[in-house]
Amino acid sequence: MTITDDAIQQAEARMATKRDHAYAIDARYNRGTKRVIVRLHSGLELAIPTYLIEGLTAATPDALAEIEVSPSGLGLHWPQLDVDLYVPALLEGQFGSKQWMARQLGATGGRSRSQAKCNAAKANGLKGGRPRKMQA
């Protein structure tokens, strides 16, 4: 199948009119702050710490620095890591899959150090703590 210049121009025109989401025009990795900086078409820049993004937590700075923005501006791709992100999802605070996000939220809740949690732990301790497991 041969793609003509006319077909390319029509596709580009369709793409330009269908953008109802924010889209990226540039993305880079800042080694000093360890953040991915995404510049949107509106001029807004997002600075996201890499530890918040699934697939980027243990990546090397060189791998993080190689970011590709999709032609539509709706996707970011790290070729060395085989990681893809959807830009509108980033704006909604979704930095990974549902399972990964649930694990992150669960880990944060388990580390909570509220006064209510301390009081509950003390009350449970006064009751003798956790019951011992009985062997069958």
Side-chain angles (χ1 to χ4, degrees):
M1 176 177 177
T2 305
I3 300 174
T4 64
D5 289 337
D6 187 45
I8 292 172
Q9 289 174 352
Q10 289 175 3
E12 287 174 346
R14 282 192 309 271
M15 185 174 68
T17 60
K18 291 193 100 175
R19 291 186 172 162
D20 56 348
H21 293 288
Y23 59 92
I25 57 174
D26 185 44
R28 60 187 163 76
Y29 175 65
N30 184 316
R31 293 172 190 254
T33 61
K34 297 182 182 175
R35 295 174 186 259
V36 174
I37 312 294
V38 181
R39 188 162 39 112
L40 303 178
H41 73 288
S42 63
L44 178 70
E45 285 191 350
L46 301 172
I48 307 165
T50 55
Y51 69 85
L52 289 180
I53 303 173
E54 181 180 15
L56 302 185
T57 53
T60 65
D62 289 336
L64 291 168
E66 189 179 343
I67 307 172
E68 296 173 355
V69 178
S70 70
S72 66
L74 296 179
L76 302 177
H77 177 68
W78 284 262
Q80 292 183 31
L81 305 170
D82 195 26
V83 172
D84 296 292
L85 293 175
Y86 184 53
V87 172
L90 289 176
L91 293 171
E92 293 174 2
Q94 298 174 11
F95 304 120
S97 67
K98 286 183 181 181
Q99 287 180 330
W100 186 83
M101 292 289 292
R103 277 196 309 272
Q104 301 307 309
L105 289 172
T108 302
R111 288 190 303 255
S112 172
R113 300 285 185 241
S114 69
Q115 189 60 45
K117 189 173 179 179
C118 288
N119 292 340
K122 286 178 186 177
N124 286 337
L126 292 173
K127 295 177 187 175
R130 292 183 183 215
R132 300 224 180 258
K133 293 184 179 180
M134 303 298 261
Q135 293 195 4

